[in-house]
Amino acid sequence: MELITPMPSIHFKPVDGKKKSNKGTYTCPLYYYPIRTGSRERPSFIIALELKLGGNDAEFYVKRGTAALAS
């Protein structure tokens, strides 16, 4: 198991009224900084990403505190 792994670039495309389908996905938080709390002037949280699950369920990633960091 790796502590840090590279992730491909993500391009966001805004859409109206996307259906919520949480089956087979993990809601991964995206942060500016490794310190998740950020500061009072600028919070670290950006957005929640819906990522497809690999061979594990969502609880696998939740228990490990999996998150994405913007570089």
Side-chain angles (χ1 to χ4, degrees):
M1 182 184 317
E2 297 179 41
L3 182 61
I4 298 174
T5 58
M7 187 171 177
S9 298
I10 299 173
H11 299 278
F12 293 97
K13 180 180 176 184
V15 294
D16 288 331
K18 182 180 180 244
K19 292 182 181 179
K20 288 275 189 177
S21 63
N22 292 338
K23 190 172 184 178
T25 61
Y26 167 63
T27 305
C28 181
L30 175 64
Y31 295 101
Y32 280 117
Y33 313 111
I35 300 173
R36 297 179 183 194
T37 57
S39 66
R40 190 175 70 187
E41 293 82 22
R42 185 169 184 173
S44 184
F45 179 78
I46 302 173
I47 194 170
L49 304 172
E50 294 288 329
L51 301 177
K52 291 182 182 178
L53 296 173
N56 303 311
D57 60 345
E59 282 297 312
F60 176 83
Y61 300 104
V62 172
K63 288 180 181 178
R64 284 156 181 78
T66 305
L69 293 174
S71 59

